[in-house]
Amino acid sequence: MEKETAIGAAVNRLEGREKVTGSAKYAAEYQAEGLLYGYVLNSRVTKGKIKSIDISTIGDVDGIVKVFTHENRPSTAWFDFQYADMDAPPGTVFKPLKDAIVRYNGQPIALIVAETFEAARYAAAKIKVEYEEEYFETGLSANLSRSRKAKKGLASLLKPPPPKPTGNFELAYAESSVQTDSIFKHGTEHHNPMELYATTVIYRGDGKLRIYDKTQGTINSQLYVANVFGLKMKNVQVLSPFVGGAFGSGLRPQYQLFMAVMASLELKRHVRVTLDRKQMFSIGHRPPTVQYTRFGADSAGRVNAIFHKAIAETSRFEDYIEIVVNWANMLYPAENTLLDHELVPLDVFSPLDMRAPGGSTGMHAIEVTMDEIAYRLQIDPVELRLTNYSIVDKSSGKAYSSKELRSCYIEGAKQFGWDDRNPQPRSMKRGNKLVGYGMATGIWDANRILARAEALIHPDGKAEIKCAVTDIGTGTLTVMTQIAADTLGLPISEVKFSYADSKMPFAPIQGGSFTTATVGSAVQAACEALNRKLFKMAKNIAGSVFKNCRFKEMLFSNGCMFSRKDPNLKIAIADIVRTNHGRPVKTTNAAMPNPFKYAKKTRAVHSAAFVEVEVDEELGIVEVKRALTAVAAGKIINPKTAESQVLGGMIWGISKALHEETLLDDNLGKYMNPNLAEYHIPVHADIHDLQVLFIPEEDHHVNKLGIKGVGEIGGVAIPPAITNAIFHATGKRIYDLPIHFDRLLS
């Protein structure tokens, strides 16, 4: 008999109804009797010391419970603990209210706790703070001469430094038929998910807390709270069943978590702290980066020399770094390379991973440079990339575990109609609009790390899977249910996936496009172990028809266990569980790749993006009329949620290329547009025809399921593809992002 499969089916999100009806609860929506509200007061200066905080001015405000400042902050256990969370970069983690020193503009300097949110916010506006200001430096471009190498730390395990130089770059570059020499810049970006940063702490007595947090890792927040406040891990429960967008903003515990827990423990009350939109600009960002590329190629377009250097911003207290310059030699097998990445410490808050960190930055410079070579040599940009195609990662000398990028180029170009273009810049028009086609390559790591899952079947035959992983809107709940249902041979309706609770088996932070591969492997391992357990129990039933069968002969389908050799030999799973004296049958298992075997190959997901733009010849306004991304990402568990992920990445790519930028006034050291009115993001009118094409790809090196991630790959190739399309339309090569209309005016 054939087994029905849930994997590969376009299943609707299982939590979709709760989200669209408003019944899904987010971190700031949990109620408790006597709940107090905290409002954060932020520094208005960029660097210096707090001389005084006068709270006598709020004496006439009803409902104020307490004001916390550096002068009365309760003692904590963390001050010798460098790595307070899983995503901490090298350096010293930021400690709210530690002392009177102001390290960046918008730093939290007080927490006002009141009976109502409105009272706390009003009181915050009345508090008078006197500062002793100091000279500060916040501008990256003005401080490039102070760049230095990043400090090494635990983060380098997933964010390796640039590979060492190979060959003789300067000689090979000097002898190249075509040489490029370009400087790329992009500004600061902030995450701006729909859900505000919020934490609700339910005080349960004796140092026991239940915390509802906006986070991408319940166990990460649990680890942070326990270490910072000296609590037992078992006494800290963090839940985050629904997350209203994150994109990296919830990877690290944010300061509202610290504030809410601090106040709850001190006051022995339930406390909620929510940051407003402006305050969200005081937490993390994609760092502004300056990149330098020099590529050399022969007359046939073969790239033989690659120089790529990035200089990025970091804070004074942490060395945040991204993988920016490592990608070019992974894609293009030049023998002579020189890659470098340096940091400039500035008086800003530490940058934070933002969707496709480093990849969306570095691939813009790389792919625009490749486009420049193509036009200089009058070679089709797709053909140029096929000329430089390699099945080996030249930067490491390792073969790829799988790589269907060639098919992405060919099939993507065919479906987009790439051959219909006139390759000459400024040659295509539609009315008063210049029309341009552009394309670019995308690449992202396909990683997998440790996770655990518990699988159990109740006496009624229904299964439940438990794991602490969150679902930040990517469809994790749905795809994990599909994996479990397939492995156990049950309909999706008979499987419940319980998640987002730190009391459940371990899951890492949800990010890096590794969640489905990581947690899915743990779910599969737990369900397979449960099947073996059920098989042993079935063999021990009196008069069992399976006494002479082996496990590998068994097929689990439609709620039953069958013999593959004789489908008439079967038993219902529920009948097996009933022999367990009314108790569920369960098992807990971990899944982690063999590090020695795993490291033998380079694992990556690939894409090719194709874009058509229209540029108003008189106004310089750019519209992305259509875009197609062809993706090779291994096994696609759920085409519907996977397509949604790639589409979201494509929209973010459009946003990065044409809209998003946080403007910093270096005279004030502060962001000038910390709101959704002036921080521009795409709206419906900006998004037109977007298409996702999944290229079949087999890869069982990353995991048994053959899964690679799709969360980041949709965004990395779109900004350079748009930039290249604008060049084709206008003949103007623009190197800075975002591209504003004034750069395109004649």
Side-chain angles (χ1 to χ4, degrees), residues 269-338:
R269 297 276 300 273
H270 313 312
V271 176
R272 173 180 299 150
V273 177
T274 303
L275 304 187
D276 61 28
R277 182 63 59 178
K278 181 179 179 180
Q279 290 171 327
M280 290 175 68
F281 283 78
S282 65
I283 293 177
H285 54 277
R286 193 193 303 276
T289 305
V290 178
Q291 299 179 75
Y292 307 86
T293 65
R294 287 190 291 154
F295 283 20
D298 64 21
S299 58
R302 286 185 291 269
V303 176
N304 50 39
I306 293 175
F307 170 86
H308 190 184
K309 180 177 180 177
I311 302 179
E313 165 190 287
T314 191
S315 67
R316 297 279 190 186
F317 45 89
E318 289 180 314
D319 271 14
Y320 173 82
I321 195 165
E322 300 176 322
I323 301 177
V324 176
V325 304
N326 301 26
W327 309 102
N329 205 212
M330 291 178 67
L331 285 169
Y332 308 121
E335 298 289 343
N336 307 280
T337 64
L338 185 58

Side-chain angles (χ1 to χ4, degrees), residues 614-686:
E614 285 185 352
V615 183
D616 189 298
E617 196 167 10
E618 296 178 344
L619 302 178
I621 297 171
V622 179
E623 274 194 287
V624 177
K625 301 304 292 184
R626 62 191 182 101
L628 179 147
T629 298
V631 179
K635 183 73 173 179
I636 303 301
I637 301 298
N638 185 331
K640 192 168 190 176
T641 55
E643 180 186 31
S644 178
Q645 281 295 287
V646 178
L647 287 173
M650 293 172 70
I651 293 170
W652 198 318
I654 294 171
S655 189
K656 181 178 177 65
L658 301 175
H659 299 274
E660 286 192 58
E661 184 179 22
T662 319
L663 300 173
L664 182 73
D665 186 326
D666 290 330
N667 295 313
L668 300 174
K670 66 182 291 185
Y671 298 117
M672 304 306 293
N673 57 329
N675 55 72
L676 291 183
E678 297 168 303
Y679 182 87
H680 295 163
I681 58 176
V683 296
H684 286 292
D686 298 308

Side-chain angles (χ1 to χ4, degrees), residues 18 68 91 275 485 500 556 573 691:
E18 293 171 274
F68 293 90
L275 304 187
F556 292 80
I573 299 300
Q691 183 180 354

Side-chain angles (χ1 to χ4, degrees), residues 106-356:
Q107 175 180 315
I109 59 173
L111 176 72
I112 300 88
V113 181
E115 299 289 346
T116 66
F117 173 79
E118 291 77 12
R121 182 176 59 180
Y122 177 57
K126 298 189 69 175
I127 293 175
K128 293 183 179 180
V129 184
E130 187 178 355
Y131 301 94
E132 181 181 313
E133 296 191 59
E134 298 177 13
Y135 172 75
F136 57 82
E137 295 173 317
T138 57
L140 176 63
S141 295
N143 289 280
L144 293 174
S145 61
R146 294 199 298 106
S147 66
R148 58 163 174 78
K149 300 292 184 185
K151 299 170 186 175
K152 293 183 178 180
L154 293 177
S156 61
L157 294 175
L158 287 177
K159 297 179 180 179
K164 294 179 180 179
T166 61
N168 187 330
F169 166 78
E170 295 295 350
L171 178 62
Y173 180 74
E175 294 178 348
S176 297
S177 298
V178 61
Q179 302 165 335
T180 68
D181 190 345
S182 306
I183 301 175
F184 298 81
K185 297 178 182 178
H186 82 74
T188 304
E189 295 175 65
H190 279 82
H191 300 76
N192 280 301
M194 289 180 65
E195 183 190 10
L196 302 174
Y197 298 113
T199 302
T200 302
V201 181
I202 307 301
Y203 184 78
R204 304 176 68 190
D206 298 325
K208 295 180 180 179
L209 305 173
R210 179 184 295 126
I211 302 169
Y212 297 95
D213 190 34
K214 181 203 171 69
T215 178
Q216 290 174 245
T218 57
I219 289 180
N220 196 35
S221 290
Q222 178 195 36
L223 175 73
Y224 174 86
V225 169
N227 278 297
V228 167
F229 294 97
L231 304 175
K232 294 179 180 178
M233 290 281 285
K234 67 178 182 179
N235 289 341
V236 179
Q237 182 184 21
V238 179
L239 301 103
S240 187
F242 295 100
V243 180
F247 316 115
S249 68
L251 289 175
R252 300 192 67 183
Q254 306 295 5
Y255 64 73
Q256 93 284 340
L257 173 62
F258 173 89
M259 297 289 202
V261 172
M262 173 192 69
S264 179
L265 289 172
E266 178 72 5
L267 301 173
K268 295 180 172 51
R269 297 276 300 273
H270 313 312
V271 176
R272 173 180 299 150
V273 177
T274 303
L275 304 187
D276 61 28
R277 182 63 59 178
K278 181 179 179 180
Q279 290 171 327
M280 290 175 68
F281 283 78
S282 65
I283 293 177
H285 54 277
R286 193 193 303 276
T289 305
V290 178
Q291 299 179 75
Y292 307 86
T293 65
R294 287 190 291 154
F295 283 20
D298 64 21
S299 58
R302 286 185 291 269
V303 176
N304 50 39
I306 293 175
F307 170 86
H308 190 184
K309 180 177 180 177
I311 302 179
E313 165 190 287
T314 191
S315 67
R316 297 279 190 186
F317 45 89
E318 289 180 314
D319 271 14
Y320 173 82
I321 195 165
E322 300 176 322
I323 301 177
V324 176
V325 304
N326 301 26
W327 309 102
N329 205 212
M330 291 178 67
L331 285 169
Y332 308 121
E335 298 289 343
N336 307 280
T337 64
L338 185 58
L339 310 174
D340 193 18
H341 190 163
E342 295 185 347
L343 300 177
V344 177
L346 296 170
D347 297 306
V348 297
F349 191 63
S350 295
L352 178 64
D353 290 348
M354 181 181 279
R355 198 172 193 175

